Amino acid sequence: MKMSKLFFCVPMVLAFSACSTDGDLDISSGVGVNVTRSGCPIVAIPDGTGDVTIFDPVNSQDSRAIDITANITNLRSVCNPDGEQIYSEASFEVRARRANVSGARSITLPYFSTILQGGNTVVSKRLGEVTLNFADGEVRTSATAKASAFIDTNSARLPEEVVERLTKKRKAGDADAALDPLSDPAMRAAVLRSTFELLVGFQLTEDQLKYNATR
């Protein structure tokens, strides 16, 4: 089978997923928008995992007990879709702010990177750490970190019959001219199975997750 040359934006199960397309509207062919599909994963930060709040004392969640806050920003990715495995790497910045600026201080925060297939299947998960260093009297600091993953190229390919149906040229008046191929559950499932995401976020405790969800 050949690698599909079209990328179709499919609504994902996860609310934080994003999908972008580029290309020109092809009116004469009846296909619609022609875009390129590389097999590279969508890179995103899951809702509720892009920031963390640390309290002092740790068993308090009072705003007056906030010690350090940090968030992930400037998420970028590079990807090599060639070969038997697709290599994707995400780089990001962690920015932090502390309440007590007295003395130099270092803090290490754990983060995860997960490959998700089809919106709900975890293919792999890795843990990493990023260390933030505050100088004496410094309120804010930042550090950079990376996450990478490999994806099986065959798993990211659309079956040839699916590609042919999705790219079939239709003209006005044809019986299937007004039918969206992705309205077929089988077609939609095939596209979804070949869609991957590289998700990056803080590895939070249960209490930290609850705090982010309810604040």
Side-chain angles (χ1 to χ4, degrees), residues 22-193:
D22 56 4
D24 299 323
L25 186 63
D26 185 355
I27 299 176
S28 61
S29 68
V31 173
V33 179
N34 290 333
V35 292
T36 301
R37 185 184 196 277
S38 69
C40 290
I42 300 164
V43 179
I45 302 170
D47 285 345
T49 68
D51 56 90
V52 61
T53 302
I54 298 173
F55 294 90
D56 184 15
V58 294
N59 59 347
S60 173
Q61 289 194 347
D62 189 289
S63 60
R64 293 170 296 181
I66 292 177
D67 181 23
I68 291 177
T69 58
N71 69 287
I72 296 174
T73 187
N74 293 331
L75 180 64
R76 297 182 175 89
S77 67
V78 293
C79 179
N80 181 5
D82 300 324
E84 295 182 358
Q85 288 191 314
I86 297 169
Y87 176 75
S88 180
E89 181 179 275
S91 61
F92 55 94
E93 181 182 6
V94 176
R95 296 178 181 176
R97 186 181 189 279
R98 63 174 176 168
N100 184 355
V101 300
S102 178
R105 184 179 177 187
S106 294
I107 183 170
T108 299
L109 300 175
Y111 65 89
F112 69 86
S113 59
T114 297
I115 288 292
L116 206 65
Q117 180 180 12
N120 57 14
T121 301
V122 176
V123 176
S124 65
K125 180 178 180 179
R126 294 181 178 180
L127 297 180
E129 293 182 337
V130 56
T131 299
L132 298 151
N133 298 303
F134 291 94
D136 183 22
E138 190 175 48
V139 177
R140 295 179 176 84
T141 190
S142 65
T144 57
K146 292 183 179 181
S148 61
F150 288 93
I151 297 171
D152 178 52
T153 301
N154 289 328
S155 298
R157 286 175 176 161
L158 286 174
E160 188 173 342
E161 60 271 19
V162 173
V163 176
E164 290 177 355
R165 183 171 173 187
L166 289 171
T167 59
K168 178 183 176 181
K169 294 184 178 181
R170 297 178 296 275
K171 298 180 180 179
D174 289 348
D176 59 352
L179 296 179
D180 179 4
L182 289 177
S183 63
D184 182 340
M187 295 290 292
R188 187 179 179 84
V191 175
L192 198 58
R193 280 194 302 272

